[in-house]
Amino acid sequence: MPQPQGEELEKIRARRDELRDRYLRPAGERPTTAVRGVHHIALICRDVEETIRFYQEFLGFPLVELVENRDYSGSSHFFFDIGNRNLLGFFDFPGHGHPDFSETIGAVQHLALSTSPENFVRIKEILDAEGIEYLGPDRGVEDSLYIRDPNGIGLEFYREELGTFNGQKILG
């Protein structure tokens, strides 16, 4: 996708600075968040078994529940443990012709998953051994590795502690 340049880029950067100055409060002045955290992220999959094999057998995220979706007869709703008491959930919708993934407004661009340095190396070795394409570590970002799951969902394995971004702690 073409990136902005010249005057257009400068206007975008100036607008970001304006928003940061207006809305970003110093850590000690920020209000307490109104929720306890992410219970689960709910995504749509093309094939339940393929998704389970990818997340549990390939990536090592334990499947912790598989039930019928209460809102759509025949649909499955299932969850993987992604650590820190967070769940990654999926639905399938048999008989519904969902289009393939598209990077567009309202879509999930990617999920950034915190991982240890040791697991980061292990994931890269597994991807290399299986011949699975990925991006990173590159582009000046040594701590990120990006792949797409069988449904087209972007996953980033981020060698960074939770609450930290680019080596800077942004959450207390």
Side-chain angles (χ1 to χ4, degrees), residues 96-172:
H96 190 285
H98 288 286
D100 286 337
F101 168 81
S102 172
E103 190 168 309
T104 187
I105 302 300
V108 173
Q109 205 279 332
H110 71 272
L111 302 176
L113 304 167
S114 174
T115 190
S116 69
E118 300 79 22
N119 198 46
F120 186 88
V121 170
R122 185 187 70 77
I123 290 167
K124 188 174 182 307
E125 288 171 350
I126 290 170
L127 295 172
D128 288 339
E130 294 293 322
I132 295 175
E133 291 185 25
Y134 57 88
L135 295 175
D138 61 2
R139 302 175 299 142
V141 182
E142 297 300 317
D143 294 321
S144 294
L145 187 86
Y146 299 87
I147 64 172
R148 292 223 176 260
D149 84 347
N151 307 293
I153 298 163
L155 301 174
E156 174 188 6
F157 294 95
Y158 193 32
R159 188 172 39 194
E160 188 76 86
E161 293 290 330
L162 292 172
T164 303
F165 183 70
N166 286 337
Q168 182 179 8
K169 193 169 186 166
I170 59 175
L171 293 177

Coordinates of all heavy atoms in Angstrom, one line a residue, residues 96-172:
H96 N -22.6 -20.1 6.1 CA -22.5 -18.7 5.9 C -21.3 -18.5 5.1 O -20.2 -18.8 5.4 CB -22.4 -17.9 7.2 CG -22.6 -16.5 7.1 ND1 -21.6 -15.7 6.5 CD2 -23.6 -15.6 7.3 CE1 -22.0 -14.4 6.5 NE2 -23.2 -14.4 7.0
G97 N -21.4 -17.8 3.9 CA -20.3 -17.6 3.0 C -19.5 -16.3 3.4 O -19.7 -15.3 2.7
H98 N -18.7 -16.4 4.4 CA -17.8 -15.2 4.7 C -16.8 -15.0 3.7 O -16.1 -16.0 3.2 CB -17.2 -15.4 6.1 CG -18.1 -15.4 7.2 ND1 -18.6 -14.2 7.7 CD2 -18.6 -16.3 8.0 CE1 -19.4 -14.4 8.7 NE2 -19.4 -15.7 9.0
P99 N -16.5 -13.8 3.3 CA -15.3 -13.5 2.4 C -14.0 -13.8 3.1 O -13.9 -13.8 4.3 CB -15.5 -12.1 2.0 CG -16.2 -11.5 3.2 CD -17.1 -12.6 3.7
D100 N -13.0 -14.0 2.3 CA -11.6 -14.1 2.9 C -11.2 -12.9 3.6 O -11.8 -11.8 3.4 CB -10.6 -14.5 1.8 CG -10.8 -15.9 1.3 OD1 -11.3 -16.7 2.0 OD2 -10.3 -16.2 0.1
F101 N -10.2 -13.0 4.4 CA -9.6 -11.9 5.2 C -9.3 -10.7 4.2 O -8.8 -10.9 3.1 CB -8.3 -12.3 5.9 CG -7.6 -11.1 6.4 CD1 -7.9 -10.5 7.6 CD2 -6.5 -10.6 5.7 CE1 -7.3 -9.4 8.1 CE2 -5.8 -9.5 6.2 CZ -6.2 -8.9 7.4
S102 N -9.6 -9.5 4.8 CA -9.2 -8.3 4.1 C -8.8 -7.3 5.1 O -9.4 -7.1 6.1 CB -10.5 -7.7 3.3 OG -10.2 -6.5 2.8
E103 N -7.6 -6.6 4.8 CA -7.2 -5.6 5.7 C -7.9 -4.3 5.4 O -7.7 -3.6 4.4 CB -5.7 -5.4 5.6 CG -5.1 -4.5 6.6 CD -3.6 -4.5 6.7 OE1 -3.0 -5.6 6.7 OE2 -3.0 -3.4 6.7
T104 N -8.9 -4.0 6.3 CA -9.8 -2.9 6.0 C -10.2 -2.3 7.3 O -10.0 -2.8 8.4 CB -11.0 -3.3 5.1 OG1 -11.8 -2.2 4.8 CG2 -11.9 -4.3 5.9
I105 N -10.9 -1.2 7.3 CA -11.4 -0.5 8.5 C -12.3 -1.5 9.2 O -13.2 -2.1 8.6 CB -12.2 0.8 8.1 CG1 -11.3 1.8 7.3 CG2 -12.8 1.4 9.3 CD1 -10.1 2.3 8.0
G106 N -12.1 -1.6 10.5 CA -12.9 -2.5 11.4 C -12.4 -3.9 11.5 O -12.8 -4.6 12.3
A107 N -11.4 -4.2 10.6 CA -10.8 -5.6 10.7 C -9.7 -5.6 11.7 O -9.2 -4.6 12.1 CB -10.3 -6.0 9.3
V108 N -9.3 -6.8 12.1 CA -8.2 -7.0 13.0 C -6.9 -6.9 12.1 O -6.8 -7.7 11.2 CB -8.2 -8.3 13.8 CG1 -7.0 -8.6 14.5 CG2 -9.4 -8.4 14.7
Q109 N -6.0 -5.9 12.4 CA -4.8 -5.8 11.6 C -3.9 -6.9 12.1 O -3.3 -7.7 11.2 CB -4.2 -4.4 11.8 CG -3.3 -4.0 10.7 CD -1.9 -4.6 10.7 OE1 -1.3 -4.9 11.7 NE2 -1.3 -4.7 9.5
H110 N -3.7 -7.1 13.4 CA -2.9 -8.2 13.9 C -3.1 -8.2 15.4 O -3.5 -7.3 16.0 CB -1.4 -8.2 13.5 CG -0.6 -7.1 14.2 ND1 -0.5 -5.9 13.7 CD2 0.1 -7.2 15.4 CE1 0.3 -5.2 14.5 NE2 0.7 -5.9 15.5
L111 N -2.8 -9.4 16.0 CA -2.8 -9.6 17.5 C -1.3 -9.6 17.9 O -0.6 -10.5 17.3 CB -3.5 -10.8 17.9 CG -4.9 -11.0 17.5 CD1 -5.4 -12.4 18.0 CD2 -5.8 -9.9 18.2
A112 N -0.9 -8.8 18.8 CA 0.5 -8.8 19.2 C 0.5 -9.6 20.5 O -0.1 -9.3 21.5 CB 1.0 -7.4 19.5
L113 N 1.3 -10.7 20.5 CA 1.4 -11.7 21.6 C 2.7 -11.6 22.2 O 3.7 -11.9 21.6 CB 1.1 -13.1 21.1 CG -0.3 -13.2 20.4 CD1 -0.4 -14.6 19.6 CD2 -1.4 -13.1 21.3
S114 N 2.8 -11.3 23.5 CA 4.0 -11.2 24.2 C 4.6 -12.6 24.4 O 3.9 -13.5 24.8 CB 3.8 -10.6 25.6 OG 4.9 -10.6 26.4
T115 N 5.9 -12.7 24.1 CA 6.6 -14.0 24.3 C 8.0 -13.8 24.8 O 8.6 -12.7 24.7 CB 6.6 -14.7 22.9 OG1 7.1 -16.1 23.1 CG2 7.5 -14.1 21.9
S116 N 8.5 -14.8 25.4 CA 9.9 -14.7 26.0 C 10.9 -14.8 24.9 O 10.6 -15.3 23.8 CB 10.1 -15.9 27.0 OG 10.1 -17.1 26.2
P117 N 12.1 -14.3 25.2 CA 13.2 -14.5 24.2 C 13.4 -15.9 23.7 O 13.6 -16.2 22.5 CB 14.4 -13.9 24.9 CG 13.9 -13.0 25.9 CD 12.6 -13.6 26.3
E118 N 13.3 -16.8 24.6 CA 13.5 -18.3 24.3 C 12.4 -18.8 23.4 O 12.7 -19.5 22.4 CB 13.6 -19.1 25.6 CG 14.7 -18.8 26.5 CD 14.4 -17.5 27.4 OE1 13.2 -17.2 27.6 OE2 15.4 -16.9 27.9
N119 N 11.2 -18.4 23.7 CA 10.0 -18.9 22.8 C 10.1 -18.2 21.5 O 9.7 -18.8 20.5 CB 8.7 -18.6 23.5 CG 7.6 -19.5 22.9 OD1 7.8 -20.7 22.7 ND2 6.5 -18.8 22.7
F120 N 10.5 -16.9 21.4 CA 10.7 -16.2 20.2 C 11.6 -17.0 19.2 O 11.3 -17.2 18.1 CB 11.2 -14.8 20.4 CG 11.3 -13.9 19.3 CD1 10.2 -13.1 18.9 CD2 12.4 -13.8 18.5 CE1 10.2 -12.3 17.8 CE2 12.5 -13.0 17.4 CZ 11.4 -12.2 17.1
V121 N 12.7 -17.4 19.7 CA 13.7 -18.2 19.0 C 13.0 -19.5 18.5 O 13.2 -20.0 17.4 CB 15.0 -18.4 19.7 CG1 15.9 -19.5 19.1 CG2 15.7 -17.1 20.0
R122 N 12.3 -20.2 19.5 CA 11.7 -21.5 19.2 C 10.6 -21.3 18.1 O 10.6 -22.1 17.1 CB 11.0 -22.0 20.4 CG 10.4 -23.4 20.2 CD 9.6 -23.9 21.5 NE 8.4 -23.1 21.6 CZ 7.2 -23.3 20.9 NH1 7.2 -24.3 20.0 NH2 6.2 -22.6 21.2
I123 N 9.8 -20.3 18.1 CA 8.8 -20.1 17.1 C 9.5 -19.8 15.7 O 9.0 -20.4 14.7 CB 7.9 -18.9 17.5 CG1 7.0 -19.2 18.7 CG2 7.1 -18.4 16.3 CD1 6.3 -18.1 19.3
K124 N 10.5 -19.0 15.7 CA 11.2 -18.8 14.4 C 11.8 -20.1 13.9 O 11.7 -20.4 12.7 CB 12.3 -17.8 14.6 CG 13.0 -17.3 13.4 CD 13.9 -16.2 13.6 CE 14.6 -15.6 12.4 NZ 15.2 -16.6 11.6
E125 N 12.3 -20.9 14.7 CA 12.9 -22.2 14.3 C 11.8 -23.1 13.7 O 12.0 -23.8 12.7 CB 13.6 -22.9 15.4 CG 14.9 -22.3 15.8 CD 15.6 -22.8 17.1 OE1 14.9 -23.6 17.8 OE2 16.7 -22.4 17.4
I126 N 10.6 -23.2 14.4 CA 9.5 -24.0 13.9 C 9.0 -23.5 12.5 O 8.8 -24.3 11.6 CB 8.4 -24.0 14.9 CG1 8.8 -24.8 16.2 CG2 7.1 -24.5 14.3 CD1 7.8 -24.6 17.3
L127 N 8.9 -22.2 12.4 CA 8.4 -21.6 11.1 C 9.4 -21.9 10.0 O 9.0 -22.3 8.9 CB 8.2 -20.1 11.3 CG 7.1 -19.6 12.2 CD1 7.2 -18.1 12.4 CD2 5.8 -20.1 11.7
D128 N 10.7 -21.8 10.3 CA 11.7 -22.1 9.3 C 11.7 -23.6 8.9 O 11.7 -23.9 7.8 CB 13.1 -21.8 9.9 CG 13.4 -20.3 9.9 OD1 12.7 -19.5 9.2 OD2 14.3 -19.9 10.7
A129 N 11.5 -24.5 9.9 CA 11.5 -25.9 9.7 C 10.3 -26.3 8.9 O 10.4 -27.2 8.0 CB 11.5 -26.7 11.0
E130 N 9.2 -25.6 9.1 CA 7.9 -25.9 8.4 C 7.8 -25.2 7.0 O 6.8 -25.4 6.3 CB 6.7 -25.6 9.2 CG 6.6 -26.5 10.5 CD 6.3 -28.0 10.1 OE1 5.5 -28.2 9.2 OE2 6.9 -28.8 10.8
G131 N 8.7 -24.3 6.8 CA 8.7 -23.5 5.5 C 7.5 -22.5 5.5 O 7.0 -22.1 4.4
I132 N 7.1 -22.0 6.7 CA 6.1 -21.0 6.8 C 6.6 -19.6 6.7 O 7.6 -19.3 7.4 CB 5.3 -21.2 8.1 CG1 4.6 -22.6 8.0 CG2 4.3 -20.1 8.3 CD1 3.8 -22.9 9.3
E133 N 6.1 -18.8 5.8 CA 6.6 -17.5 5.6 C 6.2 -16.6 6.7 O 5.2 -16.7 7.3 CB 5.9 -16.9 4.3 CG 6.4 -17.5 3.0 CD 5.9 -16.9 1.8 OE1 5.5 -15.7 1.8 OE2 5.8 -17.5 0.7
Y134 N 7.1 -15.7 7.0 CA 6.9 -14.7 8.1 C 7.7 -13.4 7.7 O 8.6 -13.4 6.9 CB 7.3 -15.2 9.4 CG 8.8 -15.7 9.5 CD1 9.8 -14.8 9.9 CD2 9.1 -17.0 9.3 CE1 11.1 -15.2 9.9 CE2 10.4 -17.4 9.4 CZ 11.4 -16.6 9.7 OH 12.7 -17.0 9.8
L135 N 7.3 -12.3 8.4 CA 8.1 -11.1 8.3 C 8.8 -10.9 9.6 O 8.2 -11.1 10.7 CB 7.1 -9.9 8.1 CG 6.4 -9.9 6.7 CD1 5.4 -8.7 6.7 CD2 7.4 -9.8 5.6
G136 N 10.0 -10.4 9.6 CA 10.7 -10.1 10.8 C 11.7 -11.2 11.1 O 11.8 -12.2 10.5
P137 N 12.5 -11.0 12.1 CA 12.8 -9.6 12.6 C 13.5 -8.8 11.5 O 14.5 -9.2 11.0 CB 13.6 -9.8 13.8 CG 14.1 -11.3 13.8 CD 13.3 -12.0 12.8
D138 N 12.9 -7.7 11.2 CA 13.5 -6.9 10.1 C 12.9 -5.4 10.3 O 12.3 -5.1 11.3 CB 13.1 -7.4 8.7 CG 11.6 -7.5 8.5 OD1 10.8 -7.1 9.3 OD2 11.3 -8.0 7.4
R139 N 13.0 -4.6 9.3 CA 12.5 -3.3 9.3 C 12.9 -2.5 10.5 O 12.2 -1.6 10.9 CB 11.0 -3.3 9.1 CG 10.5 -4.0 7.9 CD 9.0 -4.1 7.9 NE 8.5 -4.9 9.0 CZ 7.4 -4.6 9.7 NH1 6.6 -3.6 9.3 NH2 7.0 -5.3 10.7
G140 N 14.1 -2.8 11.1 CA 14.5 -2.1 12.3 C 13.8 -2.5 13.5 O 14.0 -2.0 14.6
V141 N 12.9 -3.5 13.4 CA 12.2 -4.1 14.5 C 12.7 -5.5 14.8 O 12.2 -6.4 14.2 CB 10.7 -4.1 14.3 CG1 9.9 -4.5 15.5 CG2 10.2 -2.7 13.8
E142 N 13.6 -5.6 15.8 CA 14.3 -6.8 16.0 C 13.5 -7.8 16.9 O 13.8 -8.9 17.0 CB 15.6 -6.6 16.6 CG 16.6 -5.9 15.7 CD 16.9 -6.6 14.4 OE1 17.1 -7.8 14.5 OE2 16.8 -5.9 13.4
D143 N 12.4 -7.2 17.6 CA 11.7 -8.0 18.6 C 10.3 -8.5 18.1 O 9.5 -8.9 18.9 CB 11.5 -7.1 19.8 CG 12.8 -6.9 20.5 OD1 13.6 -7.7 20.6 OD2 13.0 -5.7 21.0
S144 N 10.1 -8.4 16.8 CA 8.7 -8.8 16.2 C 8.9 -9.8 15.1 O 9.8 -9.7 14.3 CB 8.0 -7.5 15.7 OG 7.7 -6.7 16.8
L145 N 7.9 -10.7 15.1 CA 7.9 -11.7 14.0 C 6.4 -11.8 13.6 O 5.6 -12.0 14.5 CB 8.4 -13.0 14.6 CG 8.5 -14.2 13.6 CD1 9.9 -14.1 12.9 CD2 8.4 -15.5 14.3
Y146 N 6.0 -11.7 12.4 CA 4.6 -11.6 11.9 C 4.3 -12.8 11.0 O 5.1 -13.1 10.1 CB 4.4 -10.4 11.1 CG 4.6 -9.1 11.9 CD1 5.8 -8.5 12.0 CD2 3.5 -8.5 12.6 CE1 6.0 -7.3 12.7 CE2 3.7 -7.3 13.3 CZ 5.0 -6.7 13.3 OH 5.2 -5.5 14.0
I147 N 3.2 -13.5 11.3 CA 2.7 -14.5 10.4 C 1.2 -14.3 10.3 O 0.6 -13.5 11.0 CB 2.9 -16.0 11.0 CG1 2.2 -16.2 12.4 CG2 4.4 -16.2 11.2 CD1 2.3 -17.6 12.9
R148 N 0.6 -15.1 9.4 CA -0.9 -15.2 9.3 C -1.3 -16.6 9.6 O -0.7 -17.6 9.2 CB -1.3 -14.8 7.8 CG -1.0 -13.4 7.5 CD -2.2 -12.7 6.8 NE -1.9 -11.3 6.6 CZ -2.4 -10.3 7.4 NH1 -3.3 -10.6 8.4 NH2 -2.1 -9.1 7.2
D149 N -2.4 -16.7 10.3 CA -3.0 -18.0 10.7 C -3.7 -18.5 9.4 O -3.8 -17.9 8.4 CB -3.8 -18.0 11.9 CG -5.2 -17.5 11.7 OD1 -5.6 -17.0 10.7 OD2 -6.0 -17.7 12.7
P150 N -4.3 -19.8 9.5 CA -5.0 -20.3 8.3 C -6.2 -19.5 7.9 O -6.7 -19.7 6.8 CB -5.4 -21.7 8.8 CG -4.5 -22.0 9.9 CD -4.2 -20.7 10.6
N151 N -6.7 -18.6 8.7 CA -7.8 -17.8 8.4 C -7.4 -16.4 7.9 O -8.3 -15.6 7.6 CB -8.7 -17.6 9.7 CG -9.0 -18.9 10.3 OD1 -9.8 -19.7 9.7 ND2 -8.5 -19.2 11.5
G152 N -6.2 -16.1 7.8 CA -5.7 -14.8 7.4 C -5.4 -13.8 8.5 O -5.1 -12.7 8.3
I153 N -5.7 -14.2 9.8 CA -5.5 -13.4 10.9 C -4.0 -13.1 11.2 O -3.2 -14.1 11.2 CB -6.2 -13.9 12.2 CG1 -7.7 -14.1 11.9 CG2 -5.9 -13.1 13.4 CD1 -8.4 -15.0 12.9
G154 N -3.6 -11.9 11.3 CA -2.2 -11.5 11.5 C -1.9 -11.7 13.0 O -2.6 -11.3 13.9
L155 N -0.8 -12.4 13.2 CA -0.2 -12.6 14.6 C 1.2 -12.1 14.6 O 2.0 -12.3 13.7 CB -0.2 -14.1 14.9 CG -1.5 -14.9 14.9 CD1 -1.2 -16.4 15.1 CD2 -2.4 -14.4 15.9
E156 N 1.4 -11.3 15.7 CA 2.8 -10.8 15.9 C 3.3 -11.5 17.2 O 2.6 -11.4 18.2 CB 2.8 -9.3 16.1 CG 4.2 -8.7 16.5 CD 4.1 -7.3 16.9 OE1 3.1 -6.7 17.0 OE2 5.2 -6.7 17.1
F157 N 4.4 -12.1 17.1 CA 5.1 -12.6 18.3 C 6.1 -11.5 18.7 O 7.0 -11.2 18.0 CB 5.8 -14.0 18.0 CG 4.8 -15.0 17.7 CD1 4.4 -15.3 16.4 CD2 4.1 -15.7 18.8 CE1 3.5 -16.3 16.2 CE2 3.1 -16.6 18.5 CZ 2.8 -16.9 17.2
Y158 N 5.8 -10.9 19.8 CA 6.5 -9.7 20.3 C 7.4 -10.1 21.5 O 6.9 -10.4 22.6 CB 5.5 -8.6 20.6 CG 6.0 -7.2 20.8 CD1 7.1 -6.8 20.1 CD2 5.4 -6.4 21.6 CE1 7.5 -5.5 20.2 CE2 5.8 -5.1 21.8 CZ 6.9 -4.6 21.1 OH 7.3 -3.3 21.2
R159 N 8.7 -10.0 21.3 CA 9.6 -10.3 22.4 C 9.7 -9.1 23.3 O 10.7 -8.4 23.3 CB 11.0 -10.6 21.7 CG 12.0 -11.2 22.6 CD 13.2 -11.7 21.9 NE 13.6 -10.8 20.8 CZ 14.5 -11.2 19.8 NH1 15.1 -12.3 19.9 NH2 14.8 -10.4 18.9
E160 N 8.6 -8.9 24.0 CA 8.5 -7.7 24.9 C 7.6 -8.1 26.0 O 6.7 -8.8 25.9 CB 7.9 -6.5 24.1 CG 7.9 -5.2 24.8 CD 9.3 -4.5 24.8 OE1 9.7 -3.8 23.9 OE2 10.0 -4.7 25.9
E161 N 7.9 -7.5 27.2 CA 7.1 -7.8 28.4 C 5.7 -7.1 28.2 O 5.6 -6.1 27.5 CB 7.7 -7.2 29.6 CG 9.0 -7.9 30.1 CD 8.7 -9.3 30.6 OE1 7.7 -9.5 31.2 OE2 9.6 -10.1 30.5
L162 N 4.7 -7.7 28.8 CA 3.3 -7.0 28.8 C 3.4 -5.6 29.4 O 4.2 -5.4 30.4 CB 2.4 -7.9 29.6 CG 2.0 -9.2 29.0 CD1 1.2 -10.0 30.0 CD2 1.2 -9.1 27.7
G163 N 2.7 -4.7 28.8 CA 2.7 -3.3 29.3 C 3.9 -2.5 28.9 O 4.1 -1.4 29.3
T164 N 4.8 -3.1 28.0 CA 6.0 -2.4 27.5 C 5.9 -2.3 26.0 O 5.4 -3.2 25.3 CB 7.2 -3.2 27.9 OG1 7.2 -3.3 29.3 CG2 8.5 -2.5 27.5
F165 N 6.3 -1.2 25.4 CA 6.3 -1.0 24.0 C 7.6 -0.3 23.6 O 8.0 0.7 24.1 CB 5.1 -0.1 23.6 CG 5.0 0.1 22.1 CD1 4.7 -0.9 21.2 CD2 5.3 1.3 21.5 CE1 4.6 -0.8 19.9 CE2 5.2 1.5 20.1 CZ 4.9 0.5 19.3
N166 N 8.3 -0.9 22.7 CA 9.7 -0.4 22.2 C 10.6 -0.2 23.4 O 11.3 0.8 23.4 CB 9.5 0.8 21.4 CG 8.9 0.5 20.0 OD1 9.1 -0.6 19.5 ND2 8.4 1.5 19.4
G167 N 10.6 -1.1 24.3 CA 11.5 -1.0 25.5 C 11.1 0.0 26.5 O 11.8 0.1 27.5
Q168 N 10.0 0.7 26.3 CA 9.5 1.6 27.3 C 8.3 1.1 28.0 O 7.3 0.8 27.4 CB 9.2 3.0 26.6 CG 8.8 4.0 27.6 CD 8.5 5.4 26.9 OE1 8.5 5.4 25.6 NE2 8.3 6.4 27.6
K169 N 8.3 1.1 29.3 CA 7.1 0.7 30.1 C 6.0 1.8 30.0 O 6.2 2.9 30.3 CB 7.5 0.5 31.6 CG 6.5 -0.2 32.4 CD 7.0 -0.6 33.7 CE 6.0 -1.5 34.4 NZ 6.5 -2.2 35.5
I170 N 4.9 1.3 29.4 CA 3.8 2.3 29.2 C 2.6 2.0 30.1 O 1.7 2.8 30.2 CB 3.3 2.4 27.7 CG1 2.8 1.0 27.2 CG2 4.4 2.9 26.8 CD1 2.3 1.0 25.8
L171 N 2.6 0.9 30.8 CA 1.7 0.6 31.9 C 2.4 0.3 33.1 O 3.4 -0.4 33.1 CB 0.8 -0.6 31.5 CG -0.1 -0.5 30.3 CD1 -0.9 -1.8 30.0 CD2 -1.2 0.6 30.6
G172 N 1.8 0.7 34.3 CA 2.4 0.5 35.6 C 2.3 -0.9 36.1 O 1.8 -1.8 35.6

